[in-house]
Amino acid sequence: MVLEVLSMASLKEEMEKKIMEILPPEAKFSRVDFEGPNVIIYVMNPSYVMEHSEYIKTLAKELKKYIIIRGDPKVRIREVDKLKRVITDMVTKSVGSNIIDDIVVDEPTGEVYVYLKKPVRERSKLEKEILAETGWKPWIIATALEMGAGLPRSDIDAVKQIQLATAKDRLEFLRRLGMRIHREPVYKDARITVTGLGAQMEVGRSAILIRTKESSILLDCGVKPSSSGDEAPLLDELDLDTLDAIVITHAHMDHIGFVPYLFKYGYKGPVYMTEPTKYLMEVLLTDYIEQAESEGRVPPYSRQDLAQALYHTITLNYADHPTDISPDTKLMLFDAGHEVGSAVVHLHIGNGLYNIIYTGDMKYGPTRLLNPAHNKFKRAELLIMESTYGGKEDIQPPRQESEQKLVELVKHTVEHDGKVLIPVFSTGRAQEILLVLNEAINNKQLSKVPIYVDGMVLETLNVHLMFPDYLNRTLRELIYDGVNPFLSEYVKPIERARDPEKRKEQVMEILQGPPAVILAPHGMLNGGPIMDYFVHAAEDERNMLLFVSYQAENTIGRRIQQGERKLTVRYYSDRVTLDIKMKVDSIPGFSGHSDRRQLFNYVRNMEPKPHKVMLVHGEPAKIMNLALALELQLKMPTVFMNNGETIRLV
């Protein structure tokens, strides 16, 4: 520890010299500090630095660090009430009146959080102006309060409360982390290994461990859903005391489901992800805990463990800058096109030694929600790519064809006095289905059928509205213009009754009412609010069960897809046997995963070409089939492994 402190003091001294060489005297440089992956530069004249932002770019380039400018405490507006008045006036002048939801001052850090009721363009410009005028580093966060009126917000507010309640402790955490990240590497010899802790020759429980002589980094940590319970990754391989970082690609349960579990058993390090993923993780994992409790099961971790995970979360933007996450590793995130905030991970290891690209789940094609997955990088030795739809026959129909089929199936069922049950994950498919159905009704392709939306889909709609920059251009511009593209007069949000008897009454009122569409999680029928509808609708042949997402092996959804029509399911604390008479259909074209052609083209079009591809997150036959195609047609060395196996890369 003493050596680390001496090393950091030496590093600070060297960095201060470089800063003073770059910043002119007019900036009035004060001091430098490290907080997590960031270098914090304090100045007495923040207005000058904001007016000459080229110096910030030069600093980042020369120091090879991400730079945050803060006003020295001596030049900040000291009275909190005055600070809030100044910020309110500036926001009003820039984007309009009555738009501020809340202003929270974080005195220990010199930062201020400005919560707005709706997203605004030119956010970075406004942040620079506030810093220049007040000396406080602002973060502008859109709560989408206006467009999300009527949607539940408890989970969104929970993220804010955790952030506020732990501000002082978090500053100490970031300073300790900064010492660990920015120290000089101890080991000079190269050794890099990759170990599969989950999602090897299977779909689910994604967890990949990257180790160097200097660092240990975990990519994702999810659960594998099955009809007999959730399976965890092989966590015995992890030494939590030496684990430097967890990097999360997106907020689906098979990628985040066991993150709080690591904090339960002693992990105290950072978790990196995008800002939307942080909010979605809170929404989904809170629901996961509550769902287990409602079914009489003991969840694998508590709400406090989840709060610890959020407290240790550090968010990054897409392709903003390389971020130091250990002494020998930098991280960049790029758009994966899978769900809002989903990321392709780029690890830069050593000084140009080795680069790993990990796709997580990705969609290499445009959708109604998102842009295609990014596949242009500066360097790439290894590509770790998902293979969910890697089989030879896994060719998805065009989106337009899939949308037409959805409309036709809904129309036919509604005309025959039935209900359409669509199991969805809380993010991605749910929002796309809403867009398609709303458009079909507006275009008179469908009658004005009610669309009931239940469960965490409602909470996650807020996240889509909060972060329009993570959506495609069409939706982004609509949201910035104040339009909520997901809700309409036909969409009926359902606030789930907690009492089982009242919940049954709530469900039966909908099922006994006029024809309707019902969207609810879980997307694979493994629990969740969709089961409340399914157990009561399954034996009515007028109804339809419509799958629009991937159904993993051993899930109830997969069993039904494969033709099983008599099965026993969990319903609260009971077991119910069903004789399924409702119609069943699937539309694979809505998947947020790339199909076989898109996976192949992702590799073929990738720049630069990777030296090697590793296939993960797929059933064995699909992985082997895709590997053979990449080897034969692209001459691309391709490997795969079983859970628990390790491959040395360098």
Side-chain angles (χ1 to χ4, degrees):
M1 183 65 182
V2 174
L3 289 176
E4 278 190 4
V5 172
L6 291 174
S7 174
M8 289 303 296
S10 175
L11 179 60
K12 277 189 180 182
E13 185 177 338
E14 181 183 340
M15 194 166 284
E16 284 176 352
K17 290 179 181 178
K18 289 184 179 180
I19 292 170
M20 286 189 286
E21 288 173 2
I22 295 169
L23 281 181
E26 292 87 343
K28 298 182 180 180
F29 167 69
S30 174
R31 64 186 173 92
V32 65
D33 210 344
F34 299 101
E35 292 181 13
N38 304 320
V39 172
I40 313 298
I41 297 177
Y42 293 87
V43 295
M44 298 290 287
N45 191 353
S47 177
Y48 179 87
V49 179
M50 292 301 100
E51 290 173 5
H52 299 82
S53 58
E54 66 272 12
Y55 290 120
I56 302 175
K57 295 178 182 177
T58 304
L59 284 167
K61 183 178 179 181
E62 292 299 318
L63 301 179
K64 296 181 172 58
K65 306 288 183 182
Y66 182 62
I67 306 298
I68 291 178
I69 302 293
R70 289 185 192 151
D72 187 275
K74 295 177 183 177
V75 300
R76 296 176 196 153
I77 294 177
R78 297 186 181 183
E79 296 178 17
V80 172
D81 289 341
K82 181 181 178 181
L83 172 63
K84 291 183 177 182
R85 286 198 304 272
V86 171
I87 292 174
T88 300
D89 290 343
M90 295 182 72
V91 171
T92 299
K93 182 178 178 181
S94 178
V95 296
S97 60
N98 195 31
I99 191 175
I100 293 178
D101 181 27
D102 195 9
I103 298 176
V104 178
V105 180
D106 186 356
E107 294 193 42
T109 64
E111 296 185 340
V112 57
Y113 296 88
V114 183
Y115 294 89
L116 304 184
K117 296 177 183 178
K118 65 178 183 180
V120 295
R121 298 180 176 91
E122 302 295 330
R123 186 180 62 182
S124 61
K125 179 175 180 288
L126 181 56
E127 287 178 340
K128 289 179 181 178
E129 292 172 351
I130 292 174
L131 174 57
E133 183 69 22
T134 68
W136 292 78
K137 166 62 182 172
W139 299 100
I140 294 178
I141 302 167
T143 64
L145 190 63
E146 286 185 355
M147 285 181 289
L151 296 176
R153 303 189 55 81
S154 58
D155 290 283
I156 303 299
D157 293 335
V159 174
K160 175 181 171 183
Q161 293 306 316
I162 290 170
Q163 179 175 306
L164 300 181
T166 61
K168 188 174 181 180
D169 291 339
R170 181 173 165 84
L171 179 59
E172 290 304 312
F173 157 67
L174 289 173
R175 286 175 174 167
R176 291 194 305 270
L177 179 62
M179 291 182 63
R180 184 167 179 169
I181 289 174
H182 296 290
R183 65 172 172 79
E184 284 295 315
V186 175
Y187 300 98
K188 303 301 180 184
D189 57 325
R191 178 184 174 88
I192 304 171
T193 62
V194 54
T195 302
L197 305 183
Q200 311 302 314
M201 307 298 277
E202 64 177 356
V203 175
R205 58 172 176 174
S206 288
I208 299 170
L209 183 63
I210 306 295
R211 283 182 285 204
T212 72
K213 295 279 281 187
E214 195 72 46
S215 307
S216 178
I217 297 165
L218 180 64
L219 305 178
D220 286 333
C221 189
V223 301
K224 181 181 180 180
S226 71
S227 55
S228 58
D230 293 331
E231 298 178 41
L234 307 182
L235 299 179
D236 291 344
E237 292 282 334
L238 283 178
D239 181 350
L240 297 181
D241 291 332
T242 61
L243 185 62
D244 288 275
I246 302 170
V247 181
I248 297 298
T249 58
H250 66 284
H252 279 157
M253 289 301 299
D254 58 332
H255 293 258
I256 60 167
F258 258 78
V259 171
Y261 186 85
L262 301 183
F263 286 91
K264 177 179 181 178
Y265 285 97
Y267 180 61
K268 297 177 181 178
V271 187
Y272 296 93
M273 62 186 72
T274 65
E275 190 80 4
T277 297
K278 178 180 73 173
Y279 282 88
L280 292 173
M281 183 171 79
E282 205 286 337
V283 171
L284 270 67
L285 295 186
T286 297
D287 184 62
Y288 179 70
I289 294 168
E290 292 177 352
Q291 190 66 36
E293 292 172 344
S294 72
E295 294 174 355
R297 296 182 289 117
V298 178
Y301 44 79
S302 67
R303 290 170 177 79
Q304 181 59 34
D305 300 322
L306 172 55
Q308 280 293 306
L310 291 164
Y311 158 69
H312 287 85
T313 293
I314 296 173
T315 60
L316 305 177
N317 297 324
Y318 286 150
D320 198 8
H321 56 86
T323 296
D324 293 279
I325 60 172
S326 77
D328 66 347
T329 305
K330 295 179 184 292
L331 167 67
M332 292 185 79
L333 301 180
F334 298 89
D335 194 346
H338 179 67
E339 72 166 359
V340 61
S342 60
V344 173
V345 171
H346 185 179
L347 295 178
H348 309 245
I349 300 175
N351 188 16
L353 174 64
Y354 205 82
N355 289 260
I356 297 174
I357 310 298
Y358 170 49
T359 65
D361 293 351
M362 61 92 175
K363 181 69 172 180
Y364 190 50
T367 68
R368 279 183 175 258
L369 274 180
L370 306 168
N371 296 311
H374 182 93
N375 73 338
K376 303 291 186 288
F377 309 94
K378 289 186 177 180
R379 289 189 57 179
E381 278 71 39
L382 174 66
L383 169 64
I384 304 176
M385 185 174 74
E386 70 129 316
S387 317
T388 312
Y389 286 106
K392 191 175 182 180
E393 307 301 323
D394 289 335
I395 306 299
Q396 297 170 8
R399 284 272 162 154
Q400 188 174 3
E401 183 180 317
S402 299
E403 292 178 7
Q404 185 60 38
K405 182 177 179 180
L406 169 68
V407 172
E408 289 174 356
L409 289 173
V410 170
K411 182 179 180 181
H412 181 271
T413 305
V414 166
E415 288 176 346
H416 289 78
D417 203 29
K419 310 292 187 302
V420 181
L421 272 60
I422 307 181
V424 289
F425 297 106
S426 297
T427 60
R429 266 21 70 211
Q431 288 74 27
E432 283 209 63
I433 298 301
L434 284 174
L435 291 172
V436 173
L437 293 179
N438 278 326
E439 183 181 279
I441 294 173
N442 289 332
N443 292 341
K444 302 191 185 321
Q445 294 174 281
L446 276 178
S447 60
K448 295 181 179 180
V449 57
I451 305 166
Y452 292 100
V453 182
D454 205 335
M456 289 298 103
V457 175
L458 298 173
E459 288 273 8
T460 61
L461 280 176
N462 281 313
V463 181
H464 289 75
L465 298 172
M466 289 168 65
F467 299 102
D469 288 339
Y470 288 83
L471 305 175
N472 64 31
R473 183 175 181 178
T474 300
L475 291 184
R476 181 170 66 243
E477 293 306 313
L478 282 173
I479 292 171
Y480 276 131
D481 288 338
V483 177
N484 185 335
F486 306 110
L487 297 184
S488 69
E489 61 180 295
Y490 325 114
V491 177
K492 313 292 182 185
I494 299 297
E495 186 173 348
R496 191 174 7 161
R498 296 294 180 183
D499 179 77
E501 288 303 316
K502 290 183 179 178
R503 173 60 172 169
K504 183 177 178 181
E505 293 175 8
Q506 184 181 53
V507 168
M508 294 308 297
E509 183 178 349
I510 293 171
L511 292 177
Q512 293 172 358
V517 177
I518 301 165
L519 275 72
H522 184 279
M524 299 181 189
L525 284 179
N526 265 50
I530 191 66
M531 294 303 293
D532 297 336
Y533 299 93
F534 175 66
V535 295
H536 296 292
E539 297 184 345
D540 188 335
E541 60 185 14
R542 296 174 299 172
N543 299 329
M544 167 166 281
L545 179 64
L546 185 54
F547 293 109
V548 294
S549 304
Y550 176 80
Q551 304 298 306
E553 288 183 299
N554 299 318
T555 60
I556 293 173
R558 174 66 75 90
R559 290 165 60 189
I560 294 172
Q561 263 191 340
Q562 292 177 335
E564 196 169 336
R565 292 296 180 266
K566 286 186 181 292
L567 72 165
T568 301
V569 300
R570 184 194 299 271
Y571 183 52
Y572 289 94
S573 56
D574 298 328
R575 307 288 291 181
V576 178
T577 300
L578 299 173
D579 181 11
I580 301 174
K581 295 178 181 177
M582 67 191 311
K583 300 174 183 65
V584 178
D585 212 325
S586 301
I587 308 179
F590 282 107
S591 176
H593 295 272
S594 297
D595 70 1
R596 165 63 170 256
R597 287 179 299 196
Q598 291 167 332
L599 291 169
F600 189 86
N601 288 335
Y602 187 87
V603 178
R604 182 169 62 184
N605 299 335
M606 185 170 164
E607 295 178 9
K609 288 288 184 292
H611 297 177
K612 183 186 296 183
V613 173
M614 175 180 290
L615 297 181
V616 300
H617 199 282
E619 296 166 17
K622 296 178 186 292
I623 285 181
M624 290 186 282
N625 191 279
L626 180 58
L628 183 62
L630 294 175
E631 291 265 9
L632 293 177
Q633 298 179 47
L634 297 184
K635 310 301 180 188
M636 177 62 65
T638 306
V639 298
F640 46 83
M641 57 185 175
N642 292 310
N643 288 326
E645 292 183 350
T646 297
I647 294 177
R648 180 169 178 175
L649 303 173
V650 176

